[in-house]
Amino acid sequence: MNIKDQKYKLIALVLLIQGCWVAGCNQDFLNTVPDNITTLEDVFTNKNMTEEWLARIYNPIPNMWDQPYTIPWTGMTDEVNYAWNQPAINSGAITPGNASPNYWSSYYQTIRQAGIFLENIDMNKEFLEQPGGAQLIQQYKGEARFLRAYYYWLLMRQYGPIVLMGESTLPTDANFQIPRSPWDECVEYVLSEMDMAYGLVPEKHLNPNNPSQIDVLQTGRITKPIIKAIQSQILLYHASPLFNGNKGLANFKNQDGTVLFNQTYDENRWKRAADAAKEVIDLGLWELYEVDHADPFVKGYLSSKELMYNGWDTEGIWLRPSNNVFYSWERHCSPRNANGQGWNGIAVTQEMVDDFRMANGKDIGNPTSGYSESGFTSEASEYYAAGTYNMYVGREPRFYVNVTFNGATVPVVSVPNSDYVEFFFTGNSGKKGAPRDWPITGYTARKNIHPNSDFRNGTSFARPAMMIRLGEIYLNYIEALNEYSPGHPDILVYLNRIRNRGGLPDYEGSTDQATMRKEIRLERQIELMFEGHRYWDVRRWKVPETDEDHQGGAFHGMNIEEGGYMSDPAFHQRVVAFTRADWKDKFYFYPVPQSEIDRNKVLIQFPGY
């Protein structure tokens, strides 16, 4: 057995039994503080309790696959619609009193917990009595400092400029009338905190019994490369149109008149973002996950399909060891003819379907692409049944990885003698057969579903969630580079690496800045689909009102009210599947909860709420 196989088997065992220490399931690490431990001194003079405190700081790290309820960002975009959960922003009814998800209070609580940890860990003499204890204290300080900055970043992304609480935790009777800090100040504070953490955490966590190997029991704990990767992400957002000289936010001010968004465009922000991403790439610690196969199409399909459950070891930069992918994501996406029945309701929009290219790399609107919305194929393939609508034939490999359509193979273990999904009205997963477990568009999400998952037998396949991966860093790099240095040869180099891994040929179109911007954004949309990026990307690009990327209004699908057989034309008609509230500029950021506005009289609300 090779080292990689050993690592995979060990981490799978850890995931299944413990969920690792950062996930909230490790009985040793995440027990509540015993009743007899009542003071901070008690906690921070006890090594185990100190480590439990640090573990709790890790716990709120979001898991993008815990959809549709806990992390519902994907269902607030043009990617999907959830059958069972409709966040208020979709109807336009979002208010400071009902906005969900609401992370304002919980993240600030964790930020405070991190501050308490930093202020008190030095009193723990147990660490100093063990070999390397002083160094371990410094490492733990680095982890806590990074995590505190990271939760600030998550708040900024959701709420805009936020309240910075300072280095020292305030007593409960302190004056908490604190205004928002300007966006630029928030960014520089978070980056500087991460820089300080960088000097304290290791390059990698090594197995203490065999320092030549990674300690998989520490998967997910902060390292220097993780910090660099997250800083790349922050700098990309900071350079983007929403945050960089956005004159539409000129009137967003504190009560004292402080403008919260800088009104001057700074091209150098794109250079900082490009340099940060390239620094991560140049570390050479990861590579795009690829499966060897002579056929580029099959190679692209297998590489993209297996990426989420095999590729984390090659491509994952920051991993969340434990996640609820089996029940939260896989079962909610899977059709009803899955063995044990899927819940069949994370519905992909026709707008997403139309954005996938053909296998030759051409857009479906290109008259030479080979795309057709006429007729049905007479031949079955590995991906679909005979009789499948020609709209779904000959598409790029990632289409078959991301989307389950009428006629597609069942993505998990199916009931006997039911190999294909039927979304038409009377089909095995159609509307007639269930009161609610059907996709409103006639499509469901498919990515990150393990083909051997079996709901009847409870057979699942543990794997970490990739919080950030090399494919995203490539896309960060070329997006920033195209804005700062259009025509730079690296743009095509890294764009083509993503395209080729996905089974597409090299890009051959125009390379002017505007065209490349469109191509890079499309590649990001397809490559990172359902991974929790789309909600933030359309906002930072300031495109949610455009026809191509609209986030409000009508969204389309097939006609799920019709159809009695696989090739029934009545089902295969574009119809308006659902309608959301028209876009309003207030949707760029979430409202601060009204309870916080009531308590903090100098905390101003985002305009429009």
Side-chain angles (χ1 to χ4, degrees):
M1 181 183 297
N2 61 36
I3 294 297
K4 183 175 180 180
D5 289 339
Q6 290 176 337
K7 179 178 179 182
Y8 183 88
K9 289 180 179 296
L10 181 54
I11 197 169
L13 181 62
V14 170
L15 292 170
L16 287 168
I17 297 176
Q18 293 182 311
C20 277
W21 78 288
V22 301
C25 299
N26 185 308
Q27 293 180 354
D28 292 331
F29 227 91
L30 301 181
N31 282 340
T32 57
V33 177
D35 292 339
N36 64 328
I37 295 187
T38 58
T39 69
L40 287 178
E41 183 178 357
D42 290 330
V43 172
F44 286 101
T45 55
N46 181 296
K47 177 177 177 293
N48 288 338
M49 293 298 102
T50 299
E51 291 180 328
E52 287 176 6
W53 191 288
L54 178 59
R56 291 190 187 90
I57 300 172
Y58 272 92
N59 283 349
I61 292 173
N63 165 31
M64 74 288 285
W65 300 111
D66 199 1
Q67 301 182 44
Y69 298 108
T70 307
I71 310 292
W73 303 117
T74 297
M76 301 186 214
T77 72
D78 52 351
E79 287 185 324
V80 306
N81 188 77
Y82 298 137
W84 320 269
N85 180 32
Q86 288 300 324
I89 196 171
N90 289 352
S91 66
I94 184 172
T95 70
N98 70 6
S100 179
N102 169 22
Y103 294 114
W104 183 275
S105 298
S106 61
Y107 284 165
Y108 271 114
Q109 288 170 8
T110 307
I111 285 167
R112 180 176 177 82
Q113 290 168 3
I116 291 171
F117 183 91
L118 290 168
E119 290 172 351
N120 289 279
I121 187 176
D122 283 324
M123 75 169 68
N124 196 312
K125 300 298 188 291
E126 277 196 65
F127 284 109
L128 299 178
E129 293 171 355
Q130 66 182 43
Q135 182 179 352
L136 189 60
I137 287 177
Q138 294 305 306
Q139 175 191 313
Y140 285 174
K141 284 183 176 180
E143 293 178 46
R145 188 171 292 276
F146 169 82
L147 289 169
R148 181 172 66 176
Y150 181 68
Y151 293 120
Y152 271 128
W153 164 238
L154 295 182
L155 285 167
M156 290 161 58
R157 193 175 63 169
Q158 184 173 354
Y159 297 98
I162 53 162
V163 176
L164 297 176
M165 299 303 296
E167 183 65 20
S168 300
T169 57
L170 299 175
T172 56
D173 60 351
N175 179 11
F176 286 95
Q177 303 300 298
I178 308 172
R180 295 185 192 238
S181 293
W183 174 264
D184 291 4
E185 183 179 324
C186 292
V187 169
E188 293 309 320
Y189 173 77
V190 166
L191 292 175
S192 66
E193 286 290 287
M194 290 183 178
D195 284 340
M196 292 179 64
Y198 183 87
L200 300 175
V201 299
E203 291 282 349
K204 57 186 71 173
H205 293 281
L206 299 176
N207 187 332
N209 299 318
N210 186 352
S212 66
Q213 294 183 7
I214 298 293
D215 185 357
V216 296
L217 294 176
Q218 307 305 317
T219 297
R221 296 187 72 165
I222 306 307
T223 62
K224 293 182 190 298
I226 288 172
I227 293 176
K228 288 295 183 183
I230 294 298
Q231 287 182 317
S232 154
Q233 188 183 80
I234 294 170
L235 287 167
L236 182 73
Y237 279 57
H238 188 45
S240 299
L242 181 61
F243 307 104
N244 192 357
N246 183 359
K247 297 189 181 300
L249 293 174
N251 292 323
F252 186 28
K253 304 175 182 179
N254 278 336
Q255 292 176 3
D256 64 1
T258 301
V259 178
L260 293 174
F261 282 98
N262 193 316
Q263 297 299 291
T264 304
Y265 174 75
D266 182 2
E267 184 184 54
N268 191 59
R269 291 188 187 182
W270 289 112
K271 184 178 188 304
R272 286 182 72 189
D275 290 347
K278 189 60 162 57
E279 184 178 358
V280 176
I281 293 169
D282 288 345
L283 292 174
L285 298 175
W286 313 277
E287 58 187 24
L288 292 186
Y289 176 76
E290 294 185 285
V291 174
D292 289 333
H293 198 283
D295 185 327
F297 184 94
V298 176
K299 178 180 179 179
Y301 171 76
L302 293 176
S303 298
S304 300
K305 177 183 177 182
E306 296 179 12
L307 170 62
M308 290 296 144
Y309 49 85
N310 286 337
W312 54 266
D313 188 43
T314 300
E315 188 164 334
I317 297 174
W318 189 11
L319 304 176
R320 195 184 198 286
S322 180
N323 56 86
N324 196 24
V325 67
F326 181 62
Y327 285 104
S328 282
W329 178 253
E330 288 187 310
R331 194 158 194 179
H332 279 94
C333 291
S334 294
R336 290 201 311 275
N337 64 326
N339 197 37
Q341 195 172 75
W343 293 328
N344 199 37
I346 297 184
V348 181
T349 66
Q350 187 70 47
E351 282 75 6
M352 289 295 108
V353 170
D354 292 345
D355 282 333
F356 286 95
R357 281 74 59 101
M358 301 298 287
N360 56 22
K362 296 179 180 181
D363 295 337
I364 65 172
N366 188 319
T368 65
S369 68
Y371 177 74
S372 174
E373 291 189 17
S374 175
F376 303 87
T377 181
S378 60
E379 297 181 0
S381 76
E382 181 181 347
Y383 316 107
Y384 49 78
T388 295
Y389 191 31
N390 279 330
M391 175 187 282
Y392 314 133
V393 175
R395 304 298 286 270
E396 64 168 292
R398 285 176 297 185
F399 172 71
Y400 302 104
V401 171
N402 281 272
V403 181
T404 298
F405 48 89
N406 187 55
T409 55
V410 179
V412 292
V413 175
S414 66
V415 297
N417 304 313
S418 184
D419 296 332
Y420 301 104
V421 180
E422 299 170 351
F423 284 139
F424 55 86
F425 183 66
T426 61
N428 56 38
S429 299
K431 184 176 180 180
K432 186 178 181 181
R436 193 61 193 94
D437 292 346
W438 36 264
I440 197 169
T441 61
Y443 305 100
T444 55
R446 191 179 183 98
K447 187 178 197 175
N448 197 19
I449 298 179
H450 198 287
N452 296 327
S453 289
D454 189 327
F455 305 124
R456 185 175 303 281
N457 298 322
T459 303
S460 62
F461 296 84
R463 65 270 195 185
M466 289 185 280
M467 301 280 295
I468 190 166
R469 59 184 176 90
L470 185 62
E472 179 190 341
I473 299 296
Y474 280 3
L475 292 164
N476 291 356
Y477 177 50
I478 61 177
E479 179 183 338
L481 197 59
N482 185 61
E483 299 300 329
Y484 178 73
S485 182
H488 193 291
D490 272 2
I491 296 171
L492 281 181
V493 169
Y494 289 97
L495 176 66
N496 285 332
R497 287 185 185 179
I498 293 290
R499 285 173 61 95
N500 295 163
R501 192 267 293 279
L504 292 178
D506 285 352
Y507 175 76
E508 295 182 345
S510 172
T511 58
D512 66 273
Q513 185 184 47
T515 302
M516 291 309 299
R517 181 183 297 126
K518 181 178 179 181
E519 287 297 322
I520 291 166
R521 289 180 178 181
L522 177 60
E523 202 61 46
R524 186 177 181 92
Q525 174 188 342
I526 293 173
E527 176 66 19
L528 302 178
M529 190 170 287
F530 314 140
E531 293 182 45
H533 293 274
R534 181 72 173 166
Y535 179 92
W536 314 106
D537 284 345
V538 294
R539 283 162 172 75
R540 68 181 180 85
W541 293 331
K542 290 186 66 181
V543 298
E545 288 185 281
T546 63
D547 291 341
E548 296 84 358
D549 299 294
H550 70 280
Q551 300 301 295
F555 293 88
H556 298 80
M558 295 288 98
N559 187 359
I560 63 170
E561 304 289 345
E562 300 290 343
Y565 58 97
M566 180 69 72
S567 304
D568 193 336
F571 169 81
H572 297 94
Q573 301 292 323
R574 291 173 180 264
V575 298
V576 174
F578 61 92
T579 302
R580 290 181 180 162
D582 291 336
W583 175 263
K584 295 180 176 62
D585 284 348
K586 70 177 184 178
F587 297 154
Y588 276 115
F589 295 105
Y590 254 53
V592 174
Q594 187 61 45
S595 59
E596 301 297 329
I597 297 291
D598 293 341
R599 280 194 288 262
N600 185 352
K601 303 303 182 183
V602 297
L603 178 60
I604 55 107
Q605 187 60 274
F606 188 69
Y609 291 106

